[in-house]
Amino acid sequence: MPLITTTEMFKKAYEGGYAIGAFNVNNMEIIQGITEAAAEERAPLILQVSAGARKYAKHIYLTKLVEAAIADTDLPIALHLDHGTYDGCYKCIKAGFSSIMFDGSHYPIEENIEKTKELVKVAHAMGLSLEAEVGSIGGEEDGVVGLGECADPRECKAIADLGIDFLAAGIGNIH
């Protein structure tokens, strides 16, 4: 079974009334352990790659490890970039990820909208899911520092109107 998008996966989960586990991965043992446990439960799975994992193992290696996991099971699996930079999104699209999360929360809203708009066109043309971020959580995540500012509802609507599949809105320390 090939990689599937998170959009497709979430639609089935919503209709079926079940949750989907999403796990950050950065090496063969973690990917193997998670997919074997999911196979025992017959559970769909989202394998996520963070910026830290891409520094540790490079996205191309992780992509190949996920391909091996897919060949070893018939479970629906999505490969998702978690909190990707603008350039990181393009690298992971090229590497074959099925879902991309662009975290443009550190840009001024106008720039976040422009970059998100471009990524929506590319991702959707390739049949991929795209998630976008507005606002930020407090603290640091993969080198992006947020003050914990709440996402402005108008900014959320402006991003959501671009045709993204999912919106992550920073609301203080809850994400």
Side-chain angles (χ1 to χ4, degrees):
M1 172 179 279
L3 284 173
I4 67 168
T5 67
T6 52
T7 303
E8 178 183 351
M9 192 177 275
F10 289 143
K11 182 178 185 232
K12 289 178 181 177
Y14 183 76
E15 290 169 356
Y18 58 88
I20 301 167
F23 304 92
N24 280 22
V25 298
N26 60 10
N27 63 33
M28 181 191 72
E29 292 79 11
I30 292 172
I31 292 170
Q32 191 172 17
I34 292 168
T35 55
E36 287 177 5
E40 285 180 25
E41 298 298 320
R42 301 297 312 144
L45 186 56
I46 300 171
L47 298 176
Q48 299 187 143
V49 176
S50 68
R54 288 180 57 234
K55 286 178 193 168
Y56 171 78
K58 297 184 182 176
H59 60 272
I60 193 69
Y61 289 99
L62 293 168
T63 303
K64 297 302 180 189
L65 290 170
V66 171
E67 287 175 10
I70 289 169
D72 194 38
T73 185
D74 62 351
L75 292 177
I77 297 177
L79 179 56
H80 178 73
L81 172 61
D82 191 28
H83 290 273
T85 63
Y86 183 72
D87 291 334
C89 286
Y90 278 105
K91 288 177 181 172
C92 290
I93 288 169
K94 184 177 179 181
F97 282 51
S98 62
S99 180
I100 305 296
M101 193 273 203
F102 170 56
D103 187 343
S105 63
H106 57 287
Y107 292 114
I109 187 62
E110 297 79 15
E111 188 173 358
N112 190 352
I113 288 171
E114 287 307 309
K115 289 180 181 303
T116 302
K117 187 186 299 185
E118 182 180 324
L119 286 165
V120 165
K121 287 178 187 174
V122 172
H124 287 180
M126 297 183 72
L128 310 177
S129 301
L130 182 83
E131 177 184 0
E133 174 118 4
V134 180
S136 69
I137 59 173
E140 182 177 346
E141 183 172 4
D142 289 327
V144 176
V145 177
L147 301 175
E149 70 276 10
C150 289
D152 182 300
R154 291 177 304 253
E155 293 176 358
C156 290
K157 182 168 181 357
I159 294 281
D161 287 346
L162 297 175
I164 59 166
D165 300 290
F166 307 100
L167 175 68
I171 49 174
N173 290 322
I174 302 171
H175 183 66

